[in-house]
Amino acid sequence: MKVIIIEDEIKTARELERMLQNLDDAIQVEATLTSVAAAIAWLKGNPAPELIFSDIQLGDGLSFEIFREVKTEAPVIFCTAFDEYAIRAFESNSIDYLLKPVEEETLARSLEKYNRFKEHLIASAAYTQNLNRVLNQMDPAYKQNLLVHYRDQIIPIKVSDIHFIYASGRSVQIYVGNDKSYPVQYTIEQLELMLNPAQFFRANRQFIINRNTVQNIEHYFNRKLYVVSQITPPEKIIIGKVKAQSFLKWIEQ
């Protein structure tokens, strides 16, 4: 059986591949893809695999974008740390999931489920309809406002007023106009899921940036990009070469 793995954590992908081959040595991992862009390119340029294992949150966006861009009949087993609402969406539409960290026993059950229903999944148009329903149910309702606790106040901040979000260690700050910043209790990963990816881009581990507050972009060392914001950040906002093209395409959209 030919499968692909869409996962941006290399160690996690290798462990998943090891478990798959341990469970069935006939499984052949055709590719390990680490981004939305790479997965779209691979699926457009290669025959469809028999099964796809996909993380949900990738470095350049959510994997839902892949399956909206590329129509594939291959069943998808998502890897997720999402809440019970999302899990119920999977279950109600007969699409399996693996809750991270993935355990071999759980993986074995998913493979058994796939093997029981694979002929029906591949032959039936209902599978594609179910996948689309799952994507629609799991597509988050993006935040329009965030509440921040500042001294003795609870302050509503319009998401559109955020210039960038900066994470340093365990501290996460949102920066708005007039060089004001406020601490938030969310992680930067949680905030990434709350914000519309059409408006906000995860530049790197430290920054999420608002499209409307990008003043200019400069070439940086080793094919990286340096983003100049309308207000001065605590450190330079650097887009790595892996994300550079995705970022430029995002800016143009």
Side-chain angles (χ1 to χ4, degrees):
M1 177 170 62
K2 295 180 179 180
V3 309
I4 65 169
I5 296 172
I6 304 172
E7 169 62 69
D8 61 353
E9 295 181 3
I10 299 301
K11 183 178 179 181
T12 301
R14 287 175 178 167
E15 179 63 13
L16 178 57
E17 180 174 359
R18 184 196 66 77
M19 288 190 291
L20 285 170
Q21 293 178 340
N22 187 47
L23 290 167
D24 184 350
D25 57 13
I27 292 175
Q28 180 180 348
V29 177
E30 294 280 278
T32 296
L33 306 161
T34 59
S35 68
V36 171
I40 290 172
W42 194 95
L43 288 167
K44 285 184 174 180
N46 293 274
E50 295 171 70
L51 181 60
I52 298 171
F53 291 89
S54 180
D55 191 5
I56 289 178
Q57 184 180 350
L58 302 168
D60 60 344
L62 302 180
S63 62
F64 308 141
E65 299 169 37
I66 300 166
F67 305 108
R68 291 195 179 96
E69 177 74 18
V70 182
K71 303 304 180 185
T72 177
E73 294 181 351
V76 182
I77 295 177
F78 285 101
C79 302
T80 177
F82 275 30
D83 60 19
E84 292 181 1
Y85 170 80
I87 291 173
R88 286 198 298 272
F90 281 123
E91 293 175 331
S92 65
N93 290 291
S94 301
I95 295 174
D96 213 353
Y97 69 93
L98 296 171
L99 190 62
K100 287 186 172 182
V102 176
E103 297 181 356
E104 191 165 312
E105 182 179 351
T106 309
L107 179 60
R109 287 198 298 269
S110 289
L111 289 174
E112 289 172 6
K113 183 176 182 180
Y114 165 77
N115 287 324
R116 286 198 306 271
F117 296 109
K118 65 179 178 180
E119 290 184 6
H120 170 73
L121 288 173
I122 294 170
S124 175
Y127 172 74
T128 301
Q129 295 172 359
N130 285 343
L131 177 57
N132 288 335
R133 281 199 292 270
V134 168
L135 297 182
N136 289 333
Q137 288 183 47
M138 294 189 68
D139 206 3
Y142 299 116
K143 293 280 190 183
Q144 300 299 315
N145 297 278
L146 289 174
L147 296 179
V148 300
H149 296 261
Y150 184 71
R151 297 177 180 170
D152 295 327
Q153 298 177 316
I154 300 175
I155 304 173
I157 302 292
K158 290 182 180 179
V159 164
S160 58
D161 290 339
I162 297 173
H163 285 239
F164 54 80
I165 297 165
Y166 174 66
S168 177
R170 295 184 179 180
S171 171
V172 179
Q173 301 264 340
I174 59 173
Y175 283 72
V176 296
N178 300 320
D179 288 330
K180 290 183 179 178
S181 66
Y182 300 95
V184 291
Q185 296 177 331
Y186 300 110
T187 66
I188 195 168
E189 288 78 17
Q190 289 171 329
L191 288 168
E192 182 181 8
L193 294 176
M194 294 176 184
L195 301 175
N196 189 340
Q199 190 65 40
F200 290 87
F201 188 88
R202 178 72 180 272
N204 50 43
R205 291 182 182 275
Q206 287 76 41
F207 286 98
I208 295 174
I209 54 179
N210 185 341
R211 173 201 304 279
N212 293 340
T213 63
V214 173
Q215 185 166 300
N216 60 64
I217 306 159
E218 300 177 9
H219 290 289
Y220 203 64
F221 302 107
N222 195 23
R223 292 184 291 170
K224 298 176 183 178
L225 298 173
Y226 168 39
V227 179
V228 179
S229 179
Q230 292 175 2
I231 62 174
T232 304
E235 59 182 282
K236 287 184 176 180
I237 303 175
I238 304 298
I239 309 287
K241 63 181 180 181
V242 173
K243 284 190 174 185
Q245 289 304 312
S246 296
F247 172 72
L248 293 175
K249 184 181 293 186
W250 173 76
I251 284 287
E252 285 185 324
Q253 288 175 349

